Short mmCIF file of all heavy atoms in Angstrom, two decimals:
data_model
loop_
_atom_site.label_atom_id
_atom_site.label_comp_id
_atom_site.label_asym_id
_atom_site.label_seq_id
_atom_site.Cartn_x
_atom_site.Cartn_y
_atom_site.Cartn_z
N SER E 19 316.33 154.90 -39.73
CA SER E 19 316.20 153.76 -38.77
C SER E 19 316.00 152.47 -39.49
O SER E 19 315.21 152.44 -40.45
CB SER E 19 315.01 154.06 -37.84
OG SER E 19 315.28 155.17 -37.02
N PRO E 20 316.68 151.38 -39.11
CA PRO E 20 316.57 150.12 -39.72
C PRO E 20 315.28 149.40 -39.41
O PRO E 20 315.30 148.35 -38.73
CB PRO E 20 317.82 149.29 -39.23
CG PRO E 20 318.10 149.94 -37.94
CD PRO E 20 317.69 151.38 -38.01
N VAL E 21 314.12 149.93 -39.71
CA VAL E 21 312.81 149.33 -39.43
C VAL E 21 311.92 149.49 -40.63
O VAL E 21 312.17 150.31 -41.51
CB VAL E 21 312.16 150.01 -38.18
CG1 VAL E 21 313.02 149.88 -36.99
CG2 VAL E 21 311.85 151.49 -38.47
N GLN E 22 310.90 148.67 -40.69
CA GLN E 22 309.86 148.80 -41.71
C GLN E 22 308.52 148.89 -40.97
O GLN E 22 308.25 148.08 -40.10
CB GLN E 22 309.90 147.58 -42.63
CG GLN E 22 311.19 147.54 -43.47
CD GLN E 22 311.15 146.35 -44.45
OE1 GLN E 22 310.30 145.48 -44.39
NE2 GLN E 22 312.15 146.28 -45.27
N ALA E 23 307.75 149.84 -41.37
CA ALA E 23 306.46 149.99 -40.68
C ALA E 23 305.40 150.46 -41.70
O ALA E 23 305.66 151.18 -42.65
CB ALA E 23 306.58 151.00 -39.56
N SER E 24 304.14 150.09 -41.38
CA SER E 24 303.05 150.62 -42.18
C SER E 24 302.25 151.63 -41.30
O SER E 24 302.25 151.51 -40.13
CB SER E 24 302.11 149.45 -42.56
OG SER E 24 301.63 148.81 -41.42
N ALA E 25 301.57 152.57 -42.00
CA ALA E 25 300.83 153.59 -41.28
C ALA E 25 299.39 153.65 -41.82
O ALA E 25 299.12 154.43 -42.69
CB ALA E 25 301.52 154.95 -41.40
N ASP E 26 298.59 152.82 -41.31
CA ASP E 26 297.18 152.73 -41.69
C ASP E 26 296.37 153.21 -40.53
O ASP E 26 296.15 152.45 -39.55
CB ASP E 26 296.82 151.31 -42.13
CG ASP E 26 295.38 151.22 -42.60
OD1 ASP E 26 294.68 152.20 -42.56
OD2 ASP E 26 295.01 150.12 -43.08
N LYS E 27 295.77 154.38 -40.56
CA LYS E 27 295.05 154.92 -39.44
C LYS E 27 293.78 154.14 -39.12
O LYS E 27 293.24 154.23 -38.04
CB LYS E 27 294.67 156.40 -39.69
CG LYS E 27 295.93 157.29 -39.72
CD LYS E 27 295.53 158.74 -39.91
CE LYS E 27 296.73 159.64 -39.88
NZ LYS E 27 296.43 161.09 -40.00
N SER E 28 293.25 153.37 -40.09
CA SER E 28 292.05 152.60 -39.88
C SER E 28 292.32 151.20 -39.37
O SER E 28 291.43 150.45 -39.07
CB SER E 28 291.24 152.54 -41.15
OG SER E 28 291.93 151.81 -42.18
N ALA E 29 293.63 150.78 -39.29
CA ALA E 29 293.97 149.48 -38.95
C ALA E 29 293.73 149.16 -37.46
O ALA E 29 293.83 150.10 -36.61
CB ALA E 29 295.45 149.18 -39.30
N GLU E 30 293.42 147.94 -37.16
CA GLU E 30 293.20 147.48 -35.82
C GLU E 30 294.61 146.91 -35.28
O GLU E 30 294.64 146.51 -34.11
CB GLU E 30 292.19 146.41 -35.78
CG GLU E 30 290.84 146.81 -36.15
CD GLU E 30 290.23 147.79 -35.11
OE1 GLU E 30 290.26 147.46 -33.92
OE2 GLU E 30 289.73 148.86 -35.52
N ARG E 31 295.62 146.96 -36.10
CA ARG E 31 296.91 146.36 -35.71
C ARG E 31 297.98 147.00 -36.59
O ARG E 31 297.81 147.28 -37.71
CB ARG E 31 296.84 144.83 -35.96
CG ARG E 31 298.07 144.05 -35.52
CD ARG E 31 297.70 142.57 -35.68
NE ARG E 31 298.80 141.67 -35.34
CZ ARG E 31 299.77 141.27 -36.17
NH1 ARG E 31 299.76 141.72 -37.43
NH2 ARG E 31 300.68 140.44 -35.74
N GLU E 32 299.17 147.16 -35.98
CA GLU E 32 300.31 147.69 -36.73
C GLU E 32 301.59 146.96 -36.32
O GLU E 32 301.79 146.68 -35.18
CB GLU E 32 300.52 149.20 -36.49
CG GLU E 32 301.62 149.82 -37.30
CD GLU E 32 301.72 151.31 -37.17
OE1 GLU E 32 300.70 151.93 -36.78
OE2 GLU E 32 302.81 151.86 -37.43
N LYS E 33 302.36 146.61 -37.31
CA LYS E 33 303.62 145.80 -37.09
C LYS E 33 304.83 146.54 -37.61
O LYS E 33 304.87 147.03 -38.74
CB LYS E 33 303.48 144.43 -37.72
CG LYS E 33 304.63 143.56 -37.51
CD LYS E 33 304.36 142.17 -38.12
CE LYS E 33 305.51 141.16 -37.87
NZ LYS E 33 305.23 139.85 -38.53
N ILE E 34 305.87 146.61 -36.74
CA ILE E 34 307.13 147.22 -37.16
C ILE E 34 308.20 146.13 -37.08
O ILE E 34 308.39 145.49 -36.07
CB ILE E 34 307.51 148.38 -36.16
CG1 ILE E 34 306.51 149.50 -36.25
CG2 ILE E 34 308.92 148.89 -36.52
CD1 ILE E 34 306.73 150.62 -35.29
N ASP E 35 308.87 145.92 -38.22
CA ASP E 35 309.91 144.87 -38.25
C ASP E 35 311.29 145.45 -38.07
O ASP E 35 311.67 146.42 -38.69
CB ASP E 35 309.84 144.14 -39.67
CG ASP E 35 308.54 143.43 -39.92
OD1 ASP E 35 308.05 142.82 -38.96
OD2 ASP E 35 308.00 143.53 -41.02
N PHE E 36 312.10 144.79 -37.17
CA PHE E 36 313.41 145.18 -36.93
C PHE E 36 314.37 144.30 -37.74
O PHE E 36 314.08 143.20 -38.18
CB PHE E 36 313.75 145.03 -35.45
CG PHE E 36 312.94 145.98 -34.60
CD1 PHE E 36 312.06 145.49 -33.67
CD2 PHE E 36 313.13 147.33 -34.66
CE1 PHE E 36 311.30 146.34 -32.85
CE2 PHE E 36 312.40 148.19 -33.87
CZ PHE E 36 311.46 147.65 -32.97
N ARG E 37 315.58 144.80 -37.92
CA ARG E 37 316.57 144.17 -38.79
C ARG E 37 316.92 142.74 -38.29
O ARG E 37 317.09 141.87 -39.07
CB ARG E 37 317.85 144.99 -38.79
CG ARG E 37 318.98 144.38 -39.58
CD ARG E 37 320.26 145.20 -39.40
NE ARG E 37 320.07 146.50 -39.97
CZ ARG E 37 320.92 147.53 -39.69
NH1 ARG E 37 321.89 147.36 -38.83
NH2 ARG E 37 320.74 148.69 -40.28
N GLY E 38 316.94 142.49 -36.98
CA GLY E 38 317.39 141.17 -36.44
C GLY E 38 316.29 140.09 -36.56
O GLY E 38 316.59 138.98 -36.09
N GLY E 39 315.12 140.41 -37.06
CA GLY E 39 314.09 139.42 -37.22
C GLY E 39 312.96 139.56 -36.26
O GLY E 39 311.95 138.87 -36.37
#
Side-chain angles (χ1 to χ4, degrees):
S19 294
V21 299
Q22 294 182 352
S24 60
D26 182 356
K27 292 185 179 181
S28 64
E30 295 291 311
R31 184 174 180 272
E32 183 175 339
K33 183 177 181 181
I34 297 175
D35 295 320
F36 296 115
R37 177 187 295 163

